[in-house]
Structures are given as C-alpha cells and as structure tokens.
C-alpha cells in the first residue's frame, strides 16, 4: 500500500525475522495436536486473565465456594479425629475388659492366669493388678485410707485388665460381648466387666454424624456447582456478542466452551484452596481446648490437621464441581443459540 | 465452486428476500453482485456462509450441497470463507491486532506464526501502525479494513464481501478492491456485493444483478 515506504525502516528487523519464519513454515505445518495444544494454552491464559480482570467479583465467588467447602471438610476432619479415638489402636486405651478373679485365687495363680490369657490371639495384652496393688492405689485417694482401716484386711479381688484385639475377634465372627462372656466361663474368673460401651456409643454417633456430613457435603457440593454455573452464566451473557462474532468466523463449540470450562475449574480449585486455609485456621482455633480435654482424660489424643490425601481429594472434587457447573452453563447457552439458528 | 439452484429465502417475518435464484461461480472467479437496496445481496452472501438457510432450492459448494452439512461441520466450513460484513463485527475490548488474529487463534496456529501472518494482513490494509489500538478509536473506514484483514488473514478459499467499500474514500476503496483482485489471482474465489457502479466498472469483472422481489 501507499505508506509502505515509511514503515520499512522501522520494521526492518521484523521483516528479517518474518522471512526466516516463512522458510520455516514450509516445513512446519499446524498439526491437529499442536493446534489443540495452542488452543488450550490460549484458553488457560485467557481464562486466568479474566479472573484477575474483576477481582472483587472473583473473590466474592471464591469466598462463597470456600465457605461451602469448608464446612463439610472441617466436619470430616473432626469426625476422622474422633473415630481414631473410637478405633482400637491400643494406644488410646479405648477398650478394656476387666476380669475380677475369685477371692480364693492366690497372687501367683492370678499371674499365671494373666500370662496364659495374654497368649490368646484375641487378646493383645493382659495386665494383672493384684489386690495389694489395687489397695495401694486406693490408699492414695482422699478418705479411702480411713475407710480401709475401719474395714480391716483387703476386700479387693485380683483384677486382670485385658485389651482385646478387636480385629481378630471380628474375624472369628464373634462380638466383643460374646468374647467377654466366654471369659466369664474361665476358671478362677468371678466377674467380667466391659469398658466398651462408651466406645460403641461413640461409634454409633459417629456413624450418624458421618451420614449427616455426607448429606451436608452433597448439598454444599451442589451449591458450589450452582454458584460456579451462575457466575459463568453471567460471564457468558457479558460475552454474547463476542461469542456470536467468533462463531461467524468459524469457532467450534469446543473452542467457545474451553475458556469457560477452565474458568470453572479455576473457581473450584482456588475456592478449594481458600477453604483449606479456612479449615486449617479453624482447627488451630479448636486445638487448644481439645488438648485440655484430652489431658483431663489422661489421653495422648492429638488432633490431626488437613492431611495431604484430604487436600488432594478436596481440590480434585472442587475443581470437578467447577468444571461441571461451567459445563452446564455453557452447554445451555450453546444449546439455546443453536435452537435459535435452526428455527 | 458456488452454485445456486432455484434458491428462495423467506425470513421468519414472512419477508421474501430471494426468489428462485440460479447462479454459478467457478473456482477462482471474481464476481460482483449488485442490485438496489433490499434486493437480497446480503441475504445471498449469508446463505453461502451458512449464516442463514434457504427456504427452497439447493446451494452447492464445490459440488456438495450445503444442506448436508452437519452442525459440527459448519465451523470448519466457515473457516474456509472470509466474510467481510457490512458492519465489521469487531470486538471493541480487544486490540486491532487481536481482532485480526482471531481466525488464526481459532485454528490453533502458533503464536509466532500468528504474529507474522497478522502483521502481513494488517500491512495489506495499511493498518500496521494502529495494531495496538482499540477498534473504537478508529474511523469507520479503518474499522472496515480491520474486518477485511481479519477475513483474509487465514487465506480462505472463498471471500465474500458485503459492501466492503461503503465507508471508504475512493482511493482506499480502489486499494481494497486491488487487494481482493490480488487474492483472486492467487486462486481465491471472490464475491463482492456492492452498488458502487463506478468501481465495479473500473474493475471490469463479471457482474450479477439481483432483482428485488416484489412481495
Ligand atoms: N433477518 C431478517 N429478518 C427479516 N427480514 C430480513 C432480514 N434480513 C433481511 N431482511 C429483508 O430481506 C430483504 C433483503 O435484504 P438484504 O438481503 O439485506 O438486501 P440488500 O443487502 O440487497 O440490501 C429486505 O426486504 C430485508 O428487509
Ligand atoms: Mg445488504
């Protein structure tokens, strides 16, 4: 064109570069794969830019997603912690069966009995507390010394404290109660007491709480889907003209869909990260009172935080929810549009 | 290359825009389409680009009837057509460069090549020095040229232009026509709707006159 000459000097360098490109072009054509990669790279760039373009609405959306995700995640972690108390790791002294021996049993016989018991596979440990040890313990308790003195002698029996191996018992098709009953039939045993009821109660409660968490997680998951879907829908309606124009130029539905899908994934993913931050700080907030409580019960219980598995699970599912929300929103728009075209 | 067989187009409003049109363009031909306003020039071009569908008759492109084109095939079909709209349909929130580069991005072409092809197209319409501007900052004629650069950047096999010189001064109009002629010489089929009779005469190409349908 006419003004070409004035342009030539300033763009000299580019012209050289362009010439080199031209030679290269003859060898490198755009294969479907490289085209696909280029398109994806562009939509990743484009969609993430779009999030930064309107920081306020982006943060609002992320906050809503994060809060919705934080509740079930936090509950889940709490329940996991509690069920570690209810599980039988030995460490938590969660379950004990106390065998009260008959008064006539001697200390030596009681010791033999406890050693014999500890060899059984259903029992992970058996510890003898002799009547002498027991009375020593009682003497330390305020007021008992005097009571014992008035009674005279030692009224207490020998006790064997048993930690059952719940998994072995379960494998052999027994219940813990059945097992305890069978111990009562052992010779020398006077009485059996299971210290397990609270664990079972806790388990039953945890089962309910787990279901409740699942319901909450499902409902809030749907919320995330709807929030992302609605956000994307709004973005689409702001880009109607752009979408129409690039369709005129020959953009496929995939091409139009792609940046919005990435946007949905970003919302889910970053919302998930934000929710992990919220959960983390909430846990820090409750760690101190939980530890105090645990100390009262002489437990070594330490609250465990957001594990890597939970983290990955959460981020994966939140990104997936974002993707699904975006998919629905774009799909609906494209469907309506093609209906209009094919009237 | 392009063939209309007894094509009629009635819009949903009941407006009959084309009635019983027969025409034929050979591959590599450059043809002008004239007719009074409302004769159906724009409609005819839109039918070729499959932006509208005929109510009657058949349109054959390269021997294949457009009717058989599925929804999935339309985008790749359109990428073979450079359409210059009466209103250039530009994205005002993107630069001139990005507007022109759009067809290449859609095709998934690498950034380096987008750079060089887009610059080349902008050079053809003499807009190289305004590539970073927003289209909003351009005159009507310049916007029209951005639309032209975008239409030719991906080297389409068919160029359809709807009054491409309507907003241009005579000198620039002639330049643009010469650009089309250059593409045509390289084998591109070109169909231009225009009522600029002086320019049509000057270009000395086959001219099809559309008669307005009397409803
Ligand atoms: N989308 C539309 N809906 C209804 N009528 C239309 C539409 N587009 C064009 N028309 C009508 O069809 C006829 C042909 O229009 P058009 O193809 O734009 O003619 P030209 O481009 O030759 O001026 C006109 O009467 C116009 O009003
Ligand atoms: Mg028109």
């Amino acid at each position: 064109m006419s003004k070409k000459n004035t342009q030539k000097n300033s763009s000299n360098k580019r012209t050289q570069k362009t010439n080199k490109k031209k030679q290269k072009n003859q060898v490198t054509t755009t294969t479907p794969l490289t085209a696909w990669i280029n398109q994806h790279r562009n939509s990743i760039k484009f969609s993430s830019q779009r999030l930064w373009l309107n920081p306020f609405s982006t943060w609002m959306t992320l906050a809503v997603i994060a809060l919705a995700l934080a509740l079930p995640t936090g509950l889940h972690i709490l329940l996991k912690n509690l069920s570690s108390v209810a599980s039988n790791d030995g460490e938590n002294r969660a379950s004990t069966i106390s065998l009260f021996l008959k008064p006539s049993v001697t200390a030596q016989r009681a010791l033999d009995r406890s050693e014999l018991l500890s060899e059984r596979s259903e029992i992970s440990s058996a510890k003898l507390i002799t009547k002498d040890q027991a009375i020593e313990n009682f003497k330390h308790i305020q007021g008992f010394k005097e009571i014992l003195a008035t009674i005279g002698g030692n009224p207490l029996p020998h006790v064997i404290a048993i930690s059952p191996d719940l998994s072995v018992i379960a494998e052999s098709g027994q219940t813990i109660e059945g097992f305890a009953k069978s111990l009562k039939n052992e010779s020398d045993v006077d009485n059996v007491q299971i210290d397990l009821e609270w664990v079972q109660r806790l388990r039953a409660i945890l089962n309910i709480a787990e279901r409740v968490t699942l319901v909450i997680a499902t409902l809030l998951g749907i919320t995330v889907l709807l929030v992302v879907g609605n956000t994307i829908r709004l973005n689409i309606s702001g880009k109607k003209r752009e979408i129409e124009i690039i369709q005129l130029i020959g953009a496929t539905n995939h091409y139009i869909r792609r940046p919005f899908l990435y946007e949905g994934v970003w919302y889910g993913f970053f919302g998930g990260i934000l929710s992990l931050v919220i959960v983390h700080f909430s846990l820090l907030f409750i760690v101190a009172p939980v530890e105090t409580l645990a100390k009262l019960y002489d437990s070594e219980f330490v609250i465990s935080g957001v594990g890597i598995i939970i983290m990955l699970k959460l981020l994966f599912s939140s990104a997936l929810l974002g993707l699904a929300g975006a998919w629905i929103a774009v799909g609906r728009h494209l469907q309506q549009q093609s209906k209009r075209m094919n009237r | 290359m392009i063939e209309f067989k007894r094509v009629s187009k009635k819009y949903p409003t009941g407006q009959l825009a084309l009635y019983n049109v027969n025409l034929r363009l050979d591959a590599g031909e450059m043809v002008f389409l004239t007719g009074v306003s409302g004769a159906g020039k724009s409609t005819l071009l839109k039918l070729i680009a499959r932006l509208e569908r005929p109510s009657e008759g058949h349109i054959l492109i390269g021997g294949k009837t457009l009717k058989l084109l599925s929804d999935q095939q339309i985008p790749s079909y359109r990428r073979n057509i450079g359409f210059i709209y009466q209103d250039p349909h530009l994205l005002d929130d993107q630069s001139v460069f990005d507007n022109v580069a759009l067809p290449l991005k859609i095709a998934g072409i690498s950034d380096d090549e987008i750079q060089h092809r887009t610059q080349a197209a902008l050079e053809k319409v003499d807009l190289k020095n305004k590539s970073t501007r927003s289209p909003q900052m351009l005159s009507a004629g310049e916007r029209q040229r951005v639309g032209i650069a975008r239409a030719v950047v991906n080297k389409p096999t068919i160029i359809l232009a709807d009054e491409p010189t309507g907003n241009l001064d005579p000198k620039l109009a002639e330049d643009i026509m010469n650009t089309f002629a250059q593409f045509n010489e390289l084998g591109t089929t070109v169909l231009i709707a225009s009522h600029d009779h002086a320019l049509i005469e000057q270009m000395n190409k086959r001219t099809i006159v559309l008669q307005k349908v009397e409803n």
Side-chain angles (χ1 to χ4, degrees), chain A residues 343, chain B residues 9-18 33-46 52 86 162-163 193 195 210 212-213 215:
Chain A
R343 285 155 307 194
Chain B
K9 173 63 185 179
K10 192 175 191 170
Y11 282 105
T13 55
Q15 178 72 45
L16 191 61
L18 292 174
L33 185 65
T34 64
V36 294
S37 175
K41 304 183 290 295
S42 302
T43 302
L44 194 147
L45 296 183
K46 283 180 188 165
E52 294 287 351
Q86 222 163 344
D162 197 354
E163 321 256 1
H195 50 228
L210 260 184
K212 184 169 178 162
V213 189
N215 270 300

Side-chain angles (χ1 to χ4, degrees), chain B:
Chain B
M1 184 68 186
I2 302 174
E3 203 174 349
F4 275 51
K5 285 183 173 171
R6 306 176 65 84
V7 172
S8 299
K9 173 63 185 179
K10 192 175 191 170
Y11 282 105
T13 55
Q15 178 72 45
L16 191 61
L18 292 174
Y19 180 70
N20 208 7
V21 172
N22 291 289
L23 65 82
R24 195 193 149 87
L25 260 78
D26 288 325
E29 225 185 332
M30 179 162 170
V31 175
F32 282 98
L33 185 65
T34 64
V36 294
S37 175
K41 304 183 290 295
S42 302
T43 302
L44 194 147
L45 296 183
K46 283 180 188 165
L47 286 173
I48 297 173
R50 187 53 174 72
L51 299 171
E52 294 287 351
R53 295 167 149 194
S55 326
E56 301 279 337
H58 292 281
I59 300 170
L60 298 152
I61 307 291
K64 282 184 201 142
T65 171
L66 269 191
K67 249 185 202 142
L68 295 180
L69 217 56
S70 72
D71 280 357
Q72 284 74 32
Q73 289 169 315
I74 290 170
S76 73
Y77 170 68
R78 277 193 197 144
R79 268 178 264 143
N80 276 317
I81 297 176
F83 203 125
I84 293 125
Y85 299 89
Q86 222 163 344
D87 154 33
H89 290 302
L90 302 179
L91 300 174
D92 287 333
D93 59 352
Q94 292 185 23
S95 69
V96 166
F97 182 95
D98 286 338
N99 267 281
V100 174
L102 257 183
L104 302 175
K105 280 189 190 156
I106 289 171
I109 285 166
S110 74
D111 283 351
D112 281 352
E113 200 169 337
I114 286 178
Q115 188 71 29
H116 123 247
R117 279 214 227 167
T118 306
Q119 293 292 359
L122 283 170
E123 202 165 340
K124 278 211 180 72
V125 295
D126 200 14
L127 276 177
K128 219 177 159 184
N129 53 346
K130 290 184 177 164
S131 67
T132 56
R133 287 206 198 173
S134 156
Q136 276 172 313
M137 313 277 284
L138 302 181
S139 70
E142 287 168 330
R143 287 170 65 84
Q144 187 69 277
R145 276 141 63 200
V146 175
I148 292 167
R150 188 184 63 190
V152 300
V153 73
N154 204 15
K155 301 186 179 112
T157 50
I158 300 173
I159 290 176
L160 305 173
D162 197 354
E163 321 256 1
T165 58
N167 291 315
L168 305 181
D169 61 70
K171 170 77 180 86
L172 208 50
E174 198 188 325
D175 282 347
I176 294 296
M177 282 301 165
N178 286 331
T179 307
F180 288 147
Q182 279 168 25
F183 271 99
N184 177 241
E185 270 160 33
L186 296 173
T188 310
T189 310
V190 182
L191 180 58
I192 301 164
S194 173
H195 50 228
D196 188 341
H197 294 290
L199 197 61
I200 293 173
E201 229 160 85
Q202 190 184 333
M203 296 302 293
N204 194 24
K205 301 279 183 188
R206 180 155 77 99
T207 304
I208 296 170
V209 183
L210 260 184
Q211 225 65 49
K212 184 169 178 162
V213 189
E214 297 305 332
N215 270 300

Side-chain angles (χ1 to χ4, degrees), chain A residues 42-330:
Chain A
N42 280 336
S43 11
I44 289 172
K45 204 171 88 185
F46 188 62
S47 60
S48 34
Q49 275 171 355
R50 212 147 64 187
L51 292 187
W52 296 123
L53 229 60
N54 199 344
F56 181 72
S57 78
T58 301
W59 278 108
M60 286 275 278
T61 307
L62 288 182
V64 173
I65 294 168
L67 290 174
L69 291 170
L71 183 60
T73 310
L75 276 176
H76 177 71
I77 290 171
L78 272 185
L79 289 181
K80 251 188 110 134
N81 275 297
L82 285 176
S83 56
S84 82
V85 176
S87 82
N88 178 50
D89 298 343
E91 266 180 18
N92 290 315
R93 305 191 294 121
S95 46
T96 337
I97 300 173
S98 303
L99 296 187
F100 297 92
L101 301 183
K102 286 174 180 157
S104 56
V105 178
T106 64
Q108 185 55 49
R109 197 176 157 84
L111 190 63
D112 294 344
R113 176 66 53 203
S114 83
E115 267 161 21
L116 221 62
L117 282 170
S118 69
E119 264 151 41
R120 289 177 58 165
S121 62
E122 297 101 321
I123 294 171
S124 49
S125 78
K127 192 182 160 225
L128 176 69
I129 302 157
T130 62
K131 56 167 94 176
D132 295 339
Q133 284 169 335
I135 206 143
E136 278 305 309
N137 287 342
F138 269 106
K139 277 180 185 163
H140 291 300
I141 302 170
Q142 185 81 46
F144 266 84
K145 208 171 175 181
E146 291 75 15
I147 295 169
L148 289 169
T150 54
I151 291 171
N154 186 351
L156 299 172
H158 300 298
V159 178
I160 301 174
I162 287 173
S163 297
D165 190 330
L166 290 181
S167 54
V168 174
I169 292 168
E171 262 169 41
S172 65
Q174 275 179 292
T175 62
I176 186 78
E177 289 87 354
F179 177 66
K181 250 179 214 152
S182 75
L183 289 174
K184 198 174 176 179
N185 298 331
E186 295 272 319
S187 56
D188 302 338
V189 175
D190 195 18
N191 213 344
V192 178
Q193 192 185 314
I194 316 180
D195 203 9
L196 208 69
E197 264 162 50
W198 72 273
V199 171
Q200 281 172 330
R201 273 201 203 123
L202 178 60
R203 267 210 205 117
I205 292 170
L206 284 180
N207 275 342
I208 296 170
E210 254 159 42
R211 295 238 168 144
V212 171
T213 307
L214 198 68
V215 171
I216 292 175
T218 310
L219 294 179
L220 290 178
I222 294 171
T223 307
V224 170
L225 190 115
L226 294 178
V227 168
V228 174
N230 194 47
T231 306
I232 302 286
R233 189 187 61 82
L234 286 173
N235 288 349
I236 290 171
S237 67
K239 299 217 160 259
K240 258 191 192 139
R241 190 178 140 79
E242 179 169 345
I243 292 172
E244 251 165 55
I245 288 175
I246 65 175
Q247 275 177 330
L248 294 180
I249 299 171
T252 59
N253 281 352
H254 288 299
Y255 183 88
I256 292 162
R257 201 181 264 134
R258 213 173 280 129
F260 292 109
L261 295 186
Y262 272 111
E263 209 174 330
V265 169
W266 296 150
Y267 274 124
F269 184 76
F270 290 114
I273 287 184
L274 198 58
S275 84
L276 285 172
V277 173
I278 293 172
V279 169
H280 179 74
F281 283 104
S282 309
L283 285 178
L284 281 186
F285 183 64
I286 53 178
V287 143
V290 166
E291 276 177 355
T292 317
L293 179 75
K295 257 187 210 133
L296 285 180
Y297 284 86
D298 196 18
S299 162
E300 290 167 47
F301 175 65
V302 177
I303 198 159
S304 66
V306 190
I308 185 84
I309 300 288
I310 291 180
M311 226 154 94
L312 292 178
K313 270 189 195 163
L314 176 84
L315 292 180
F316 178 76
S317 32
S318 63
L320 205 66
L321 283 171
L323 178 70
W327 191 284
I328 293 168
V330 193

